[in-house]
Amino acid sequence: MNIDDWNSGQEEVMVCRLDTRSKKPLPCTVVIFGASGDLTQRKLIPALYHLCREEQMPDPFRIIGFARREKSSESWRKELFEGINKFGRTRPVSTEEWDEFAAHIEYYQGNFDDLSAYQGLKEVIAAAGQRELCENLLFYLAVSPSQFVEIVSNLSRAGLLCRREKCQGGWQRLVVEKPFGKDLESAHRLSEELSEYVAENKIFRIDHYLGKETVQNIMMFRFSNSVFEPLWSRQWIDHVQITVSENLGVGARGGYYEEAGASRDMMQNHLLQLMALAAMEPPVSLDAESIRDEKVKLINSIQMPFDENIVRGQYLAGKIGEIEYCAYRNEEKVNPKSNVETYVAAKLFVDNWRWAGVPFYLRTGKALPRSVSEIRFQFRKPPHTLFAAQCGATLDSNSITLRLQPDEGITFHINGKVPGASTEIRPVRMRFSYNAEFGAYTPEAYERLLLEAIAGNSTHFIRRDEVEMAWRIIDRIRSSWKGKDLKEEEFYAAGTWGPAAADQLLRRSGHFWRSTLD
Ligand code: BG6
């Protein structure tokens, strides 16, 4: 049977909808702090625009941009219009389409440290008149983490944010961008400081990977298919490889990256989240706390890695395709003697019944040959009988790859006979492709996450204990480099797959990084 038979209804397709009971979210006002920043223009406004176009936004809704720069609502809308035509996923956007959405947007100029600006903001919010628009408030902090506490304390003083878990009247929520802290201690302190003004259940810590369609599918794949779950353990899985590679350098973000490096920018959040989803136990229910409890348990069970299981690297000049890249140390706003890692790989073990002894190899880096995010489960080799006895190491083991981006899909590698008179076995692929099955519709992660924050669903946001557990591991990783300059062998040319030590890390256990083209 092919997809057309399914689609034409000749074959019954059993579709289970989990969200039939969810209602359209209540009217609200979204206040974006850092309104003139890059994130607002590239991600937040395009996401809100698409939600509005697809009639997913509450009715009515308002968006207020709060920032320091002097400008009018009109000029902000104009900037945002240019932005959406550069970054939106359905560009070009016509003026008519835009104007309908832009009617919901206003700009409010104020300094983050000026309490009177928040009192003014309160008046602007109240001017809407409609009760729900004035009481249901989503504050999006698209600003540097050092400004979180100042903004939140002023919101609280101005009476715009109530501290308790449940407050009378409407709801208020806070969405905060990463990085949440720079190590365990600062993340802990930040949560403590925020907790003076706002309850934990109102803080939505964003990790945009959790809003990706394919990342959300990890749970569906694992827990709605009985065929795979029995194989998901040390008994059958030999090791796991998680790759999030990017074929770009740091570009204009050198200043930020000097503070972050790959371990804080990517490993602390995106990679550890992927690992948690790929390896956690089935949650008791689909509610946010049950899922987050399981992720926390998994992250908590990761053993602190030994120094020899940690690799860092930094890119030198090189070529990716036809494009020449300069060395990281020559990028804008980067210290020419910088020791910041643009690549990190680690071999991690999970101390629990299911995964004991199974290596999880994680790697991420900038200026690598391709941009790919995937999780590959490599199964154990067949026992040494029949074909394996003759083929030895040349008989590959099976694997399942969850390709998160691009070419979203799932590939199952199995062995098959090459047709013909000779007897040859080689790996063949069974592939499910999102595009082929569902068409090319992939909403941006920010669309889903913004909508969930508006609806008050915190499943795909990071809880305080989760952030802190993840920092424990990153602190351990970073401590192995403390006070040590990068050694020659830790550099890699842009356009290669990282330093040689990353290959040795796997080779020591008889493994190798699998091709992401596979
Ligand atoms: C961000 C990092 O969180 O994720 C960036 O700060 C990185 O450095 C980006 O480029 C990658 O996200 P995506 O969705 O393009 O894989």
Side-chain angles (χ1 to χ4, degrees), residues 55-230:
E55 296 180 8
Q56 308 233 40
M57 283 299 278
D59 182 19
F61 73 93
R62 264 178 106 189
I63 299 170
I64 301 177
F66 186 120
R68 279 169 293 207
R69 282 189 212 151
E70 196 74 64
K71 68 180 98 170
S72 64
S73 291
E74 202 179 315
S75 61
W76 191 45
R77 287 189 208 116
K78 201 161 153 262
E79 269 171 36
L80 298 176
F81 181 52
E82 281 162 22
I84 199 147
N85 273 315
K86 237 187 199 148
F87 309 114
R89 71 174 161 84
T90 56
R91 57 184 186 265
V93 171
S94 70
T95 7
E96 296 76 57
E97 287 168 313
W98 172 253
D99 286 348
E100 208 178 299
F101 169 72
H104 298 267
I105 303 182
E106 287 149 76
Y107 184 77
Y108 179 82
Q109 193 262 327
N111 281 336
F112 297 152
D113 60 356
D114 175 10
L115 179 58
S116 68
Y118 295 77
Q119 282 149 350
L121 173 69
K122 193 174 177 185
E123 284 164 26
V124 174
I125 292 174
Q130 215 257 22
R131 187 182 58 80
E132 287 170 307
L133 280 182
C134 308
E135 289 182 349
N136 295 338
L137 306 172
L138 185 82
F139 299 110
Y140 200 113
L141 307 195
V143 297
S144 135
S146 59
Q147 294 164 317
F148 290 171
V149 178
E150 184 168 65
I151 294 175
V152 172
S153 71
N154 279 326
L155 284 172
S156 160
R157 285 193 191 106
L160 283 163
L161 188 62
C162 137
R163 183 174 177 275
R164 292 188 304 279
E165 280 194 11
K166 278 206 169 122
C167 301
Q168 275 194 328
W171 51 258
Q172 298 115 42
R173 297 181 193 124
L174 207 65
V175 183
V176 294
E177 269 294 330
K178 79 170 187 53
F180 195 85
K182 60 181 178 58
D183 51 19
L184 172 58
E185 203 232 310
S186 58
H188 181 79
R189 196 171 349 108
L190 185 53
S191 285
E192 283 295 298
E193 286 171 344
L194 290 178
S195 72
E196 285 181 29
Y197 308 103
V198 60
E200 171 64 25
N201 71 333
K202 293 179 174 176
I203 304 177
F204 287 60
R205 295 177 190 80
I206 216 164
D207 177 332
H208 79 280
Y209 262 60
L210 297 187
K212 289 184 192 270
E213 198 69 61
T214 44
V215 173
Q216 299 198 341
N217 189 42
I218 299 174
M219 264 186 56
M220 313 296 162
F221 173 76
R222 288 195 51 204
F223 303 129
S224 69
N225 293 303
S226 55
V227 64
F228 301 118
E229 195 48 23

Side-chain angles (χ1 to χ4, degrees), residues 43 178 207-209 212 244 246 253 256-257 265-266 269-270 366 373 405:
K43 297 286 182 192
K178 79 170 187 53
D207 177 332
H208 79 280
Y209 262 60
K212 289 184 192 270
V244 179
E246 292 180 275
R253 294 171 77 221
Y256 155 76
Y257 208 79
D265 184 44
M266 300 291 286
N269 35 75
H270 310 326
K366 300 263 186 212
S373 301
Q405 61 187 31

Side-chain angles (χ1 to χ4, degrees), residues 228-239:
F228 301 118
E229 195 48 23
L231 305 178
W232 233 240
S233 73
R234 62 193 301 273
Q235 204 185 341
W236 299 105
I237 293 184
D238 182 65
H239 70 276

